[in-house]
Amino acid sequence: MSFAVLYLPLVEEFGASRAAVALVQSLALAMFGFSGPIIGWAFDRLGPRRLFPASALVAAGALVIASRLHSLTGLALAYGVVASLGLATIGGQTNMIVATLWYPQARGRAIAAVDVGTGFGAFCFIPLGQVLVTALGWRGTLLVWAALLVAVVVPLNLFQRLPLPEPRPVTPPAPDAPLVSSPERDAWTLRAALRFPSFWWLNAMRFGGACAFTVMNVHMVAYAIDQGVPPAQAATALGAVSLVSLIGRVSTGLLCDRIGRAVTLTIMYTSCAIGISCLGMVAVTGSPQWLVAYVVFYGMSQGSTGIVTAARSADVFAGPVFGSIYGWMGLTTGAGEALGAWAGGKIFDVTGGYLPAFGFAVAALAAGVVSIWRVRPDPRRSRAVS
């Protein structure tokens, strides 16, 4: 999230177009998604206690290297590839897997509780990042991020663990008892999941959400500054979005468990579209007061994609290889985020403004809503119940 405050300083230092600099973040976000299958595989085999601290150290080392580079290509490799791979391993994908495995009867609420850290972190670090960029430059800011990874993330994740499987009582069947499906025999495999249409509808939903939210998160600060909003105020607005998202994330989790995943996503994406429209009104009316409405409506929806996706995916695919299945879904997330980050900059370079990019984001949200309504339950469990 803090790339938003690094964006314009990088454009100025490297003398590149906004689209070219946005490609660095596109590469970073693509790594978040495209590394999903590998991260899921590693999670299933290593567990969070070993995987998370090692990944944080990799990310910290890459950020230190990135802070010393004077080439946009080198920055793309260090920041966009290596650091992002380390951060992806300790990001939403794996932490949501931990939550779904611990609390199968309250997945929406558990995922939301864990994901509150994402919103609160962005609320703290985006304004802090703007202060650091002003005082230390973008290079010094990367060094601070690296130090915090080592000082905070590494020691805390040494306490991570997964729940032990509950022992199942073994009772011999009666001689004339009919054969019934067992959880072990009916457990999902990665190959079976890839053949199930709901897997691809969930991917389509994640792709649409990733496109839309990344357009806004990467380019909102630059757009606000273009409209005459001071940089510190623009960064504060983006940080305020993350603060409001604390309420939105908890609300998303509660609604997921109360009224269902598809209805919840529809409500949240509608709120997001209203917020994007309010942000567009800043350019139309010339009044920065519309930023307040943007912060409220957009902030309430921030993080909803990940919460709903994780809960619905676990509804359908929970089992021994859920980490791997969920990891493969990250491919479309990475593609969507990479497209969103690049498209926002490219549309600005072509049209000279961000309003068409905002329209692109709303269209992506609509595609996500259509997709979540197409997800069907696990037919294996339906057979077992019947």
Side-chain angles (χ1 to χ4, degrees):
M1 289 290 290
S2 62
F3 184 84
V5 299
L6 305 176
Y7 185 37
L8 291 182
L10 290 173
V11 170
E12 181 179 354
E13 169 146 347
F14 291 103
S17 69
R18 294 194 183 191
V21 175
L23 275 175
V24 175
Q25 181 72 341
S26 291
L27 182 59
L29 295 171
M31 284 302 300
F32 263 72
F34 296 153
S35 61
I38 299 174
I39 293 173
W41 176 86
F43 181 92
D44 288 338
R45 284 152 183 79
L46 299 177
R49 183 177 295 178
R50 286 183 289 176
L51 183 63
F52 290 1
S55 301
L57 289 174
V58 169
L63 289 175
V64 172
I65 293 172
S67 71
R68 304 293 92 192
L69 298 175
H70 296 274
S71 161
L72 192 59
T73 301
L75 183 70
L77 292 175
Y79 179 94
V81 177
V82 182
S84 297
L85 179 61
L87 292 173
T89 309
I90 56 176
Q93 171 187 329
T94 48
N95 281 280
M96 288 179 181
I97 292 173
V98 172
T100 61
L101 295 177
W102 270 105
Y103 302 100
Q105 302 305 317
R107 287 183 177 128
R109 285 165 286 172
I111 295 166
V114 170
D115 201 42
V116 162
T118 303
F120 187 70
F123 166 68
C124 294
F125 282 90
I126 292 172
L128 175 60
Q130 185 62 58
V131 171
L132 290 172
V133 167
T134 302
L136 305 176
W138 66 268
R139 299 179 187 277
T141 303
L142 292 185
L143 291 177
V144 174
W145 294 163
L148 286 170
L149 282 171
V150 175
V152 178
V153 178
V154 171
L156 283 181
N157 279 295
L158 295 176
F159 297 93
Q160 281 277 16
R161 63 189 180 93
L162 293 176
L164 296 175
E166 295 183 3
R168 298 178 180 270
V170 179
T171 57
D176 58 346
L179 292 176
V180 296
S181 61
S182 69
E184 289 78 11
R185 185 167 65 249
D186 285 340
W188 282 100
T189 64
L190 177 59
R191 179 175 295 181
L194 291 173
R195 294 175 177 174
F196 189 44
S198 289
F199 176 88
W200 297 105
W201 284 116
L202 283 165
N203 273 277
M205 186 270 281
R206 292 189 71 174
F207 181 85
C211 279
F213 283 97
T214 305
V215 168
M216 308 311 300
N217 292 338
V218 172
H219 297 279
M220 177 263 161
V221 171
Y223 165 79
I225 293 173
D226 289 344
Q227 301 305 315
V229 178
Q233 185 177 340
T236 300
L238 186 56
V241 163
S242 299
L243 180 62
V244 174
S245 82
L246 301 182
I247 302 172
R249 292 169 200 269
V250 173
S251 300
T252 300
L254 291 172
L255 290 174
C256 268
D257 292 338
R258 297 279 178 86
I259 64 175
R261 322 307 193 195
V263 177
T264 299
L265 191 80
T266 303
I267 293 171
M268 291 302 169
Y269 275 16
T270 300
S271 178
C272 182
I274 293 172
I276 293 173
S277 300
C278 292
L279 187 63
M281 291 299 292
V282 175
V284 174
T285 66
S287 172
Q289 300 302 319
W290 285 97
L291 274 176
V292 177
Y294 168 77
V295 167
V296 174
F297 284 101
Y298 181 82
M300 285 296 294
S301 65
Q302 181 84 283
S304 58
T305 301
I307 295 171
V308 174
T309 302
R312 194 69 181 118
S313 300
D315 292 341
V316 181
F317 298 111
V321 295
F322 178 60
S324 297
I325 294 171
Y326 194 65
W328 276 86
M329 291 184 187
L331 292 176
T332 48
T333 303
E337 290 179 337
L339 175 62
W342 172 82
K346 185 63 176 179
I347 291 172
F348 177 89
D349 291 338
V350 172
T351 66
Y354 278 117
L355 293 184
F358 295 170
F360 169 77
V362 172
L365 290 172
V369 169
V370 172
S371 299
I372 188 63
W373 282 99
R374 300 292 299 170
V375 177
R376 297 293 180 260
D378 179 359
R380 299 156 185 259
R381 296 179 186 176
S382 299
R383 288 199 304 269
V385 171
S386 61

